Amino acid sequence: MPPVGGVDDYTEQDSPQATGHHGCPEDVSSSSPTLPVIASIASEKKKQRRDREQQPAASLPDDIIIEILSRVHYKSLCRFKCVSKQWLDLCSGLDTHKRSPQALSGLYFLDEEHQGLSFHGLTGGGPRLVDPDLSFLRKSYESLEVTQCSSSLLLCMCWKNSYSPRGECDYVVCNPATEKWTLLPLIECMDQADVERYLGFDAVKPSSFVVVAPLTDIYQLIRKVAIYSSGTERWTYVESGWASDTMVGDQDAIFLNGIVHLTTCGSSIVTVDIEGKIWREIRVPHFDAIGLSQGCLHAWRVDVLNGCQLSLWVLQDYDSENWTLKHTVNVLELFGSHCRKDHESYMVLAIHPNCNLIFLTDGEMTVLYDTDNRKVNVISSSVDFVGCAPYIPCFTKWLSDGR
């Protein structure tokens, strides 16, 4: 179909042409100059259509464009700056930048030399979106130690005096992207240093976080659980609804759909909601650790006694506790000639929060394994990762703005 407004749209019925004797056209100079006018109109309409194609959003209000741009990936947002000067201004806007979904920025890993967690960037030569040294916290504290990373938030132990005893510290939850932080109140117990705190953050609801602290008796049995919610800004103390012999493991908490998930020293996961009303224990196939990816719980195990076979499960049915085997692979094949004789060095460090990617190490080299295409990329051959947590910047404001 010819374009609307083109020369082909002109018909004799629309503007009949005058004729002379024998059916021949009269002198063009004496007739109405329709064709040149039509050609001019067609040319102008083509130009307008071409301009609209080059600037597809030119007719949209800026607030609508900002709403659209704020929903695209941050890297795509950077590329969109090249579309036009208008888009450059809109994409560079602070509000758009803060609301844009972010990509994996790096890993917080256990640094045995410096204690606590250290940051390893994965953005190559690109600009840093956050300050991994947490200089905004160091304005208030002389020394600090990052103890947990929950996707986008960090749990830190902070000392105003570096010579203070380890037990005399403040516990702070901070967001490196917004440089906002919240000082956790003291827990009602005899010894603050003996209480383990587990930070939970759900990227689906990024405006809040939760901290869970199991409180044990002299026999190390959990009797009560303290739950802190950023919404209430206080600790709530509830009687434990888990089995009396439950012993929580040392893995970080996973916060999903308003439920906190903690691993136990047995082969299970214990859960509690933020109000302390719903308690549950979920049995898991023999596993090393759990993680959250694409909105689902995952569990994995590297069987060092069976050829270093990696098995990855996903919990697809919460009610029936149905774990589905999602992927298997021989870890030795992933490292090729770099494999070591000490099979216990092979371990899964973490799972990517948004993709089918797994972080693994052989004790010397760390790789990123894509389970979809079975490709391996080396992340580091110099940093010795001992446990790590993926970090994704989040610019969303908290319900309480913190400090």
Side-chain angles (χ1 to χ4, degrees), residues 60-352:
L60 294 177
D62 285 356
D63 57 343
I64 299 298
I65 301 177
I66 291 175
E67 184 66 28
I68 296 173
L69 293 177
S70 66
R71 298 174 183 270
V72 303
H73 199 279
Y74 178 75
K75 289 186 177 180
S76 299
L77 189 68
C78 293
R79 290 194 293 266
F80 289 167
K81 293 180 180 181
C82 302
V83 172
S84 65
K85 291 183 178 180
Q86 178 197 17
W87 279 37
L88 173 61
D89 293 338
L90 295 177
C91 292
S92 301
L94 186 61
D95 184 64
T96 307
H97 175 256
K98 286 185 175 182
R99 294 168 59 191
S100 178
Q102 305 297 317
L104 183 68
S105 177
L107 302 171
Y108 273 95
F109 67 97
L110 181 60
D111 189 339
E112 294 183 331
E113 180 179 353
H114 299 91
Q115 297 185 340
L117 300 181
S118 296
F119 184 77
H120 178 79
L122 297 176
T123 56
R128 284 185 172 181
L129 296 179
V130 299
D131 175 15
D133 295 328
L134 309 181
S135 57
F136 62 95
L137 268 182
R138 299 183 187 277
K139 296 176 182 178
S140 302
Y141 293 98
E142 188 172 319
S143 63
L144 60 89
E145 177 182 318
V146 180
T147 61
Q148 292 179 37
C149 172
S150 182
S151 178
S152 303
L153 304 185
L154 305 178
L155 177 62
C156 306
M157 298 172 63
C158 304
W159 293 266
K160 293 184 176 180
N161 188 326
S162 58
Y163 297 101
S164 299
R166 185 171 180 82
E168 296 180 5
C169 68
D170 288 341
Y171 285 88
V172 169
V173 175
C174 71
N175 184 340
T178 61
E179 299 189 354
K180 297 295 184 180
W181 54 280
T182 295
L183 173 64
L184 297 181
L186 293 177
I187 296 177
E188 298 175 1
C189 64
M190 294 296 295
D191 191 347
Q192 298 284 322
D194 288 341
V195 179
E196 291 291 339
R197 296 159 177 82
Y198 298 89
L199 171 64
F201 174 75
D202 189 352
V204 176
K205 298 179 179 179
S207 59
S208 61
F209 66 88
V210 64
V211 180
V212 173
L215 305 178
T216 58
D217 58 16
I218 58 175
Y219 303 105
Q220 299 302 308
L221 299 178
I222 300 175
R223 298 305 185 190
K224 289 186 177 182
V225 176
I227 303 174
Y228 177 89
S229 169
S230 60
T232 61
E233 299 183 341
R234 63 182 180 85
W235 292 101
T236 300
Y237 301 88
V238 292
E239 296 291 332
S240 173
W242 298 322
S244 58
D245 59 347
T246 297
M247 297 184 66
V248 176
D250 57 0
Q251 186 182 343
D252 296 347
I254 291 178
F255 190 41
L256 175 64
N257 298 328
I259 304 295
V260 179
H261 300 71
L262 299 171
T263 59
T264 69
C265 295
S267 187
S268 69
I269 300 170
V270 290
T271 70
V272 60
D273 69 313
I274 59 175
E275 296 181 351
K277 296 180 179 180
I278 303 175
W279 304 80
R280 186 174 180 181
E281 183 176 11
I282 302 175
R283 305 304 300 180
V284 192
H286 186 60
F287 70 105
D288 297 333
I290 63 173
L292 180 63
S293 179
Q294 303 165 82
C296 295
L297 278 180
H298 287 66
W300 56 80
R301 178 193 181 196
V302 177
D303 190 350
V304 296
L305 300 179
N306 188 26
C308 283
Q309 186 81 2
L310 166 63
S311 300
L312 177 68
W313 294 272
V314 57
L315 183 59
Q316 293 183 327
D317 190 341
Y318 239 78
D319 294 332
S320 65
E321 300 182 11
N322 179 28
W323 291 86
T324 301
L325 183 61
K326 184 176 180 179
H327 189 79
T328 60
V329 66
N330 190 311
V331 176
L332 301 180
E333 298 176 358
L334 302 182
F335 289 93
S337 59
H338 297 280
C339 59
R340 298 165 51 135
K341 294 182 179 179
D342 183 5
H343 290 177
E344 292 185 358
S345 298
Y346 296 94
M347 62 180 299
V348 174
L349 297 172
I351 189 170
H352 195 290

